[in-house]
Amino acid sequence: MGKKSKSAISPTREENYNEWYQQVVRAADMAENSPVRGCMVIKPWGYAIWENIQAGLDRMFKATGHRNAYFPLLIPKSFLEKEADHVEGFAKECAVVTHHRLVEGPEGGLIVDPKAELEEPLIIRPTSETIIGASFAQWISSYRDLPLLINQWANVMRWELRTRLFLRTAEFLWQEGHTAHATEAEAVEETRRMLDIYETFIEEHMAVPVIKGRKTESERFPGAVDTFTVEAMMQDRKALQAGTSHFLGQNFAKASGIKFQNAEEQEQYAWTTSWGVSTRLVGALIMTHSDDDGLVCPPRIAPEHIVLLPIYREDEQRVAVMAVAEKLAEALRAQSYDGAPMRVILDDRDLRGGEKNWGWIKKGVPLRVEIGPRDVESGSVMVARRDKGARDKESISAEAFPERAAALLADIQQTLFARAKAYRKEHTKVVDSYEELVTYFTPENTKRPGIHGGFAMAHCCDTPDNEAKLKELKLTVRCIPIDGDRTPGTCILSGKPSEQRVVIAKAY
RNA sequence: CGGGGUGUAGCGCAGCCUGGUUAGCGCGCCUGCUUCGGGAGCAGGAAGUCGGUGGUUCGAAUCCACUCACCCCGACCA
């Protein structure tokens, strides 16, 4: 009888979380797999979200004195070899350019011209520390050149073995900040400042709560002295590293020769940092807020804030309804939300109402506004919020609505953040023994493991031995939190004294 | 890269074991009529070199070999 299941997305989160994720991406038309192994095509709706992430972060970077620049996609192999840990970390997942010409093959088609082999292979950047370091070495000669605060919006490539749209793709888009400072203290401060910016942006713009913390030794960025992270909890209660900020000490400065003369006429190596977030944030957004009806977009990051859905049957109604809808669209666009004109779309496509409505639900537009003949007559509109049920609508006076819209959007933004925070709180547990840890991360039904576990807050010291024990349970220390409880205790794995509790979880 | 699985119309699948005339079904798409504050009904229509290459055979989506891609579970990772 054409009856649809209760939810727009099948399977539901509870039924099969991984498949649900893929279906949400598809239903919202955000991205799809490409003919190229491990690489995705980001479609307009997904890209618009990324653009909003870019715009918000870029403003914050500029406000803290950073400037954008662009460096080559290709890095000479010898550059990558300069920093020992760095080589080890990335060598396994590099795409390499070895030739510069194709010629016609003996059996047709094209083959790589063996005569066109490069003297030195070029690596498609997995990250740009070394190539940017080479520039920094040239740009910096005096303490007066410091600090040097540079950011690059770019694509990078890491030859991942298992990929998932937005969460892990062979090629991904990101920003990478690279800075050089005269003193260690300044560089450490910069590392923390950018971590704070990530926290602010991800929580306030994306409504995704994060835990700021320091990474353990094994999770540290290759070549870094210290790595900081913001960790978020997804709805399957796994942790997702949403952004990282690295204090690189003088490691890369020494590798690239970034030296300067200080006021005392001494030659010194600079102290550098690097920090980045990627299109993975789009994945974090999806997995934090979306429900079984599809994507739920926090207003500040949504490609469209409000969709107007005219309802009519005959031409006569169409004229009346469209006149009101167009006027309303204009009035809404004159309003501002989050410091910019409201993003409003009037959907006048020749589709049936239900289909249109569900289409926008799946795309996660914060507010849907229906305007039909009855509304025109009564001077009202039906308003539905994406953070509420699909059929939950409120009649609002058409005249008053534009004035109220910004407040409604702000309320949705706030509700989504509060909801995500409550979810994380509900699934964060203080754990005081190994047995408790095992129990917490063991599903009730091991044959069909449902969503279980969460963040375990436990005392656990940073040793390879402990790391191995956690790995048996498929767990990792996500971070050593910076804020919050610093009470010392006893390590649940080794029994030794521990400075503070850490976040233990399964991770993406 | 190890173990398992899948590639047939835009999407989801059947057919394959037991080779045999023009390769089906559901959704979607297009057209028409009827519907319409909700993911419609009826009728008609368009769309596929059955992942690729080679082999066996009178004949291959179907059997064999190789290969590529994707998915799930590991290992690796933003």
Side-chain angles (χ1 to χ4, degrees):
Chain A
M1 308 296 247
K3 255 191 191 170
K4 289 280 177 174
S5 54
K6 276 181 204 148
S7 64
I9 302 296
S10 172
T12 62
R13 285 164 291 184
E14 200 57 52
E15 286 162 357
N16 183 345
Y17 190 83
N18 292 340
E19 183 59 23
W20 165 83
Y21 173 80
Q22 314 253 51
Q23 292 304 327
V24 171
V25 172
R26 185 143 72 123
D29 208 21
M30 282 183 279
E32 61 194 17
N33 280 311
S34 75
V36 186
R37 199 206 89 98
C39 297
M40 64 177 164
V41 173
I42 306 177
K43 300 184 78 174
W45 195 254
Y47 199 79
I49 292 171
W50 177 240
E51 284 179 311
N52 287 336
I53 290 173
Q54 279 187 302
L57 280 172
D58 204 62
R59 265 198 305 276
M60 294 169 91
F61 296 158
K62 301 246 171 79
T64 42
H66 302 84
R67 292 172 303 164
N68 287 330
Y70 188 80
F71 299 85
L73 167 71
L74 300 174
I75 300 176
K77 184 167 76 72
S78 57
F79 279 43
L80 219 59
E81 289 163 352
K82 285 178 184 172
E83 216 291 332
D85 290 334
H86 198 60
V87 183
E88 210 189 311
F90 287 107
K92 288 170 288 191
E93 48 186 39
C94 286
V96 186
V97 177
T98 53
H99 292 74
H100 65 85
R101 193 189 299 137
L102 296 169
V103 288
E104 204 175 309
E107 280 145 51
L110 291 168
I111 58 163
V112 171
D113 184 353
K115 284 180 284 188
E117 185 167 358
L118 299 176
E119 226 167 276
E120 179 180 5
L122 296 169
I123 315 298
I124 299 177
R125 62 182 165 215
T127 180
S128 303
E129 274 74 11
T130 57
I131 189 81
I132 292 180
S135 287
F136 276 23
Q138 306 234 351
W139 297 353
I140 295 165
S141 50
S142 154
Y143 70 94
R144 294 189 180 91
D145 296 325
L146 297 173
L148 181 56
L149 309 174
I150 296 294
N151 177 63
Q152 153 164 275
W153 289 97
N155 56 341
V156 288
M157 178 159 268
R158 298 181 188 175
W159 210 261
E160 299 291 350
L161 300 177
R162 269 185 76 186
T163 59
R164 292 183 72 193
L165 294 175
F166 290 115
L167 293 176
R168 176 167 295 109
T169 44
E171 180 191 12
F172 56 95
L173 305 183
W174 77 344
Q175 62 66 215
E176 47 181 326
H178 295 269
T179 69
H181 308 262
T183 67
E184 176 175 15
E186 274 181 55
V188 168
E189 192 192 334
E190 167 77 4
T191 308
R192 296 291 297 273
R193 178 184 301 118
M194 300 324 287
L195 187 70
D196 287 347
I197 282 181
Y198 288 154
E199 177 193 36
T200 303
F201 178 80
I202 296 169
E203 293 203 331
E204 293 180 7
H205 289 241
M206 300 180 60
V208 174
V210 293
I211 296 176
K212 267 192 309 188
R214 173 182 275 119
K215 278 293 187 189
T216 58
E217 201 177 328
S218 68
E219 299 256 325
R220 205 174 279 159
F221 176 76
V225 170
D226 218 344
T227 287
F228 294 86
T229 176
V230 279
E231 297 282 328
M233 182 188 283
M234 303 295 100
Q235 289 184 77
D236 60 353
R237 302 182 208 160
K238 282 163 81 172
L240 185 79
Q241 181 173 307
T244 46
S245 185
H246 315 289
F247 169 58
L248 304 174
Q250 292 179 312
N251 294 349
F252 284 88
K254 285 176 181 164
S256 300
I258 308 172
K259 290 181 282 191
F260 68 99
Q261 235 179 358
N262 66 14
E264 287 78 44
E265 300 187 313
Q266 295 159 322
E267 183 175 73
Q268 298 195 324
Y269 283 110
W271 301 80
T272 66
T273 79
S274 71
W275 27 274
V277 297
S278 70
T279 33
R280 174 179 254 200
L281 282 181
V282 179
L285 184 87
I286 298 164
M287 288 204 290
T288 300
H289 301 300
S290 301
D291 60 21
D292 295 336
D293 286 329
L295 184 67
V296 177
C297 248
R300 293 187 78 175
I301 226 78
E304 304 287 352
H305 292 132
I306 304 175
V307 57
L308 303 182
L309 300 161
I311 296 161
Y312 50 79
R313 220 178 309 174
E314 298 118 39
D315 273 353
E316 205 177 300
Q317 291 177 331
R318 187 193 131 83
V319 172
V321 165
M322 284 305 289
V324 172
E326 271 159 24
K327 211 176 126 201
L328 184 61
E330 208 174 305
L332 286 167
R333 288 185 185 122
Q335 295 286 320
S336 86
Y337 168 71
D338 197 18
M342 229 169 251
R343 301 189 279 267
V344 182
I345 184 165
L346 172 53
D347 185 359
D348 189 29
R349 288 174 302 166
D350 180 21
L351 283 177
R352 37 192 43 260
E355 236 177 299
K356 248 196 248 189
N357 194 26
W358 281 101
W360 293 110
I361 288 171
K362 286 185 279 195
K363 280 177 171 291
V365 175
L367 287 173
R368 304 186 306 281
V369 179
E370 299 175 358
I371 309 149
R374 291 210 298 267
D375 304 301
V376 170
E377 206 164 308
S378 65
S380 62
V381 291
M382 292 300 279
V383 179
R385 295 167 54 139
R386 185 60 183 87
D387 60 340
K388 296 188 173 176
R391 294 195 161 73
D392 194 344
K393 296 187 278 193
E394 189 193 353
S395 179
I396 297 180
S397 141
E399 207 171 326
F401 178 65
E403 297 277 318
R404 282 188 57 189
L408 279 172
L409 291 170
D411 191 58
I412 293 171
Q413 181 82 26
Q414 199 276 325
T415 300
L416 292 177
F417 184 57
R419 198 180 279 174
K421 219 168 172 176
Y423 186 84
R424 187 183 69 184
K425 191 178 175 193
E426 193 184 336
H427 300 293
T428 299
K429 185 178 161 65
V430 170
V431 167
D432 283 317
S433 71
Y434 180 72
E435 292 69 39
E436 233 183 299
L437 188 75
V438 173
T439 308
Y440 189 48
F441 287 104
T442 304
E444 281 179 26
N445 182 347
T446 44
K447 282 194 176 169
R448 294 190 57 200
I451 294 170
H452 65 280
F455 284 4
M457 303 301 296
H459 284 286
C460 178
C461 36
D462 183 9
T463 65
D465 211 34
N466 285 350
E467 208 104 31
K469 278 183 198 160
L470 290 175
K471 200 170 178 177
E472 281 171 25
L473 301 170
K474 293 180 187 172
L475 297 172
T476 48
V477 173
R478 297 319 302 154
C479 72
I480 305 155
I482 291 170
D483 303 323
D485 187 18
R486 287 289 186 81
T487 321
T490 309
C491 173
I492 60 167
L493 296 176
S494 69
K496 291 178 184 158
S498 146
E499 284 173 28
Q500 70 169 95
R501 287 177 190 276
V502 300
V503 181
I504 297 174
K506 291 188 180 167
Y508 274 95

